[in-house]
Amino acid sequence: MRFVDIIEKKADGEALSKEEIRQMIEGYVAGEIPDYQMSAMAMAILQRGMNDEETTELTLAMMHSGDVVDLSSLPGIKLDKHSTGGVGDTTTLVVAPLVAACGGTVAKMSGRGLGHTGGTLDKLEAIPGTSVEIDMERFFSIVKDNGVAVIGQTANLVPADKKLYALRDVTATVRSIPLIASSIMSKKLASGADAIILDVKTGSGAFMRNTDEAFTLAKTMVQIGKLTGRKVRAIVTDMNQPLGMAVGNSLEVKEAVELLSGGISPTDPLYQVCLLLGKHMLMAGNLAADEEKAEQMLKDAIQDGSGLKKLQRMITLQGGDSSYLCMEKIDQMIHVKHMVDICSERDGFVTSMNAEKIGTAAQMLGAGREKKGDAIDPSVGLVMKVRCGNKVQKGDPLCTMYVNDEKRFAEAKQLFLQAIEITEEEKEKTPMIYGVVTEEDV
Ligand code: URA
Ligand code: CA
């Protein structure tokens, strides 16, 4: 079939066959299908959607466009997690070592931050000496020794996604649910884990601005897991404010260390989401019979310091200086010229935040990238002083900015203040956790 006829079929709202989907991805990666035809196809998919079978075939075709990692030589059920992009989301640095401390195997490949969202690799590299570019043999040996390692994706992991994502980015087709689901799941499946726990964000800082769409994305990805024989569960969580208080690479490492040292309250959103992810990882790995048992195991690993030890040992094995990873020394990792409080301009209640703007403000200070390959400053960023629902008075600090480059400070401050809505009346808070999607039910 000519590709133009396949585009027309999708534009008419028909389901594509496995062969048509294969032909599309193979042809596009090989350069036989030009960008203009693929753009039309991406728009047709955005407009007409795909059913779960098509989305799964698309995921598999993309997965097989490059390296597929075989983790079968590692012991036990290999566990992975993924968050769909957030601000102040430091969950991997907390959950991966905690799960390993509870007996899990976490051989994880992570990504870098782009735009307003952070990335785990940049946070790891903020710890002096730490390498995330590690060959497979060494990666496997670290996981065998320590139960956990976190490295960068291999260069040839899902090349179809790299090409297609760049195209979607400039053709207004990023927000298609089948395209997002296949993009995320192709990389997860190619990374080799047996069980994957997804954290789908909803709210101002997320891809999915509304909760219904977030649940649809979560269900689509759980279905892909079911149809490909992997255990996939998803939690849907709030991104209407930064998840943790810290936004910035070293600052987020500090917050992770603080949580693993028992210094963060169990009512804190970051703590809650970490525990929920960890519980589902332990249950998916057959390491805990139920949620209650899993929760106790994770809390014990915080209490007795075994989670922090796993993180420290992982950093040592990845070439880093783990002596920084304790509350006594962690501030020595953060080098800034100025720490500036940004204060409230009025009395009232913090009723909403725009997490995307807060992430962008941190990026302007140098914590993130505008485009791929930009340098980042690991020390800069901001630490929130308030949460949604808090009462503030004029002059109270809303955050502290950690600044090295004064040039964009005024702009970052302006954007940050725009991101915080303060009203006279108290408004109802959005929940932190909206629900859990499993193969069986929501
Ligand atoms: N994250 C991805 O990896 N791909 C998308 O399409 C959206 C979010
Ligand atoms: Ca369906």
Side-chain angles (χ1 to χ4, degrees), residues 184-206:
I184 293 172
M185 290 304 292
S186 61
K187 288 175 282 190
K188 290 285 114 185
L189 299 187
S191 303
D194 306 306
I196 302 147
I197 311 301
L198 302 162
D199 178 8
V200 178
K201 311 283 194 188
T202 174
S204 61

Side-chain angles (χ1 to χ4, degrees), residues 159-184:
D161 181 61
K162 293 197 178 81
K163 197 169 175 189
L164 186 54
Y165 195 89
L167 186 76
R168 288 165 57 206
D169 206 21
V170 294
T171 55
T173 51
V174 168
R175 65 192 172 84
S176 151
I177 285 176
L179 294 179
I180 295 174
S182 55
S183 167
I184 293 172

Side-chain angles (χ1 to χ4, degrees), residues 327-386:
M327 289 317 286
E328 294 74 36
K329 209 181 151 189
I330 191 108
D331 283 325
Q332 292 176 30
M333 230 175 71
I334 302 164
H335 308 279
V336 290
K337 289 193 212 150
H338 314 281
M339 286 166 61
V340 190
D341 283 346
I342 308 300
C343 298
S344 178
E345 294 169 332
R346 63 180 68 84
D347 295 352
F349 293 91
V350 178
T351 46
S352 76
M353 293 187 198
N354 185 311
E356 178 174 359
K357 284 185 179 166
I358 295 173
T360 304
Q363 179 211 318
M364 283 175 173
L365 294 173
R369 296 182 181 82
E370 226 154 282
K371 55 182 196 307
K372 237 169 145 171
D374 283 352
I376 57 168
D377 180 342
S379 292
V380 300
L382 57 91
V383 176
M384 298 300 300
K385 298 286 173 192
V386 291

Side-chain angles (χ1 to χ4, degrees), residues 43-173:
M43 187 55 79
I45 294 171
L46 172 81
Q47 300 277 348
R48 309 305 304 238
M50 279 183 148
N51 65 33
D52 290 339
E53 288 69 29
E54 289 177 282
T55 309
T56 300
E57 288 306 336
L58 178 58
T59 304
L60 288 170
M62 287 172 67
M63 165 189 169
H64 288 294
S65 68
D67 297 344
V68 174
V69 180
D70 179 2
L71 297 178
S72 61
S73 67
L74 293 170
I77 298 173
K78 271 65 73 181
L79 304 170
D80 197 357
K81 67 157 281 276
H82 179 81
S83 299
T84 65
V87 178
D89 184 328
T90 319
T91 50
T92 293
L93 293 186
V94 175
V95 174
L98 275 182
V99 167
C102 297
T105 301
V106 186
K108 183 160 175 53
M109 293 192 198
S110 279
R112 293 198 182 273
L114 189 62
H116 71 281
T117 66
T120 302
L121 299 183
D122 300 321
K123 295 171 204 177
L124 289 170
E125 284 179 346
I127 306 163
T130 307
S131 173
V132 296
E133 273 146 38
I134 288 174
D135 66 49
M136 280 294 150
E137 208 178 317
R138 176 87 187 125
F139 176 51
F140 279 43
S141 94
I142 296 173
V143 177
K144 274 182 191 151
D145 175 320
N146 191 45
V148 56
V150 180
I151 64 165
Q153 290 170 357
T154 62
N156 195 38
L157 199 85
V158 196
D161 181 61
K162 293 197 178 81
K163 197 169 175 189
L164 186 54
Y165 195 89
L167 186 76
R168 288 165 57 206
D169 206 21
V170 294
T171 55
T173 51

Side-chain angles (χ1 to χ4, degrees), residues 144-351:
K144 274 182 191 151
D145 175 320
N146 191 45
V148 56
V150 180
I151 64 165
Q153 290 170 357
T154 62
N156 195 38
L157 199 85
V158 196
D161 181 61
K162 293 197 178 81
K163 197 169 175 189
L164 186 54
Y165 195 89
L167 186 76
R168 288 165 57 206
D169 206 21
V170 294
T171 55
T173 51
V174 168
R175 65 192 172 84
S176 151
I177 285 176
L179 294 179
I180 295 174
S182 55
S183 167
I184 293 172
M185 290 304 292
S186 61
K187 288 175 282 190
K188 290 285 114 185
L189 299 187
S191 303
D194 306 306
I196 302 147
I197 311 301
L198 302 162
D199 178 8
V200 178
K201 311 283 194 188
T202 174
S204 61
F207 276 99
M208 300 288 109
R209 298 295 159 96
N210 78 57
T211 309
D212 286 348
E213 281 187 346
F215 272 102
T216 305
L217 176 61
K219 285 179 200 161
T220 305
M221 293 194 287
V222 170
Q223 274 304 315
I224 293 170
K226 191 172 179 178
L227 294 171
T228 56
R230 313 276 180 116
K231 231 186 244 185
V232 179
R233 286 182 179 191
I235 64 175
V236 177
T237 65
D238 187 63
M239 192 35 71
N240 280 305
Q241 60 183 347
L243 181 58
M245 297 304 247
V247 185
N249 297 288
S250 298
L251 297 168
E252 291 185 47
V253 173
K254 178 179 174 179
E255 193 169 25
V257 167
E258 195 174 358
L259 204 166
L260 290 170
S261 305
I264 290 183
S265 159
T267 60
D268 181 87
L270 177 64
Y271 186 108
Q272 287 186 3
V273 171
C274 284
L275 234 69
L276 188 61
L277 284 168
K279 279 195 281 192
H280 286 288
M281 286 171 82
L282 292 181
M283 288 188 294
N286 296 336
L287 295 159
D290 55 41
E291 283 203 44
E292 232 165 86
K293 183 78 188 20
E295 178 162 335
Q296 198 51 53
M297 289 165 75
L298 294 161
K299 286 185 164 166
D300 288 347
I302 295 173
Q303 210 80 56
D304 66 15
S306 55
L308 182 60
K309 280 216 182 70
K310 283 285 177 195
L311 179 64
Q312 290 166 338
R313 179 143 182 83
M314 178 183 106
I315 293 303
T316 301
L317 293 169
Q318 295 189 209
D321 184 349
S322 64
S323 73
Y324 287 103
L325 302 181
C326 60
M327 289 317 286
E328 294 74 36
K329 209 181 151 189
I330 191 108
D331 283 325
Q332 292 176 30
M333 230 175 71
I334 302 164
H335 308 279
V336 290
K337 289 193 212 150
H338 314 281
M339 286 166 61
V340 190
D341 283 346
I342 308 300
C343 298
S344 178
E345 294 169 332
R346 63 180 68 84
D347 295 352
F349 293 91
V350 178
T351 46

Side-chain angles (χ1 to χ4, degrees), residues 9-28:
K9 191 170 165 187
K10 181 45 71 186
D12 289 340
E14 286 178 53
L16 303 181
S17 70
K18 175 176 169 174
E19 289 68 34
E20 288 161 345
I21 290 168
R22 291 273 151 109
Q23 182 187 335
M24 165 169 91
I25 293 301
E26 282 167 20
Y28 186 53

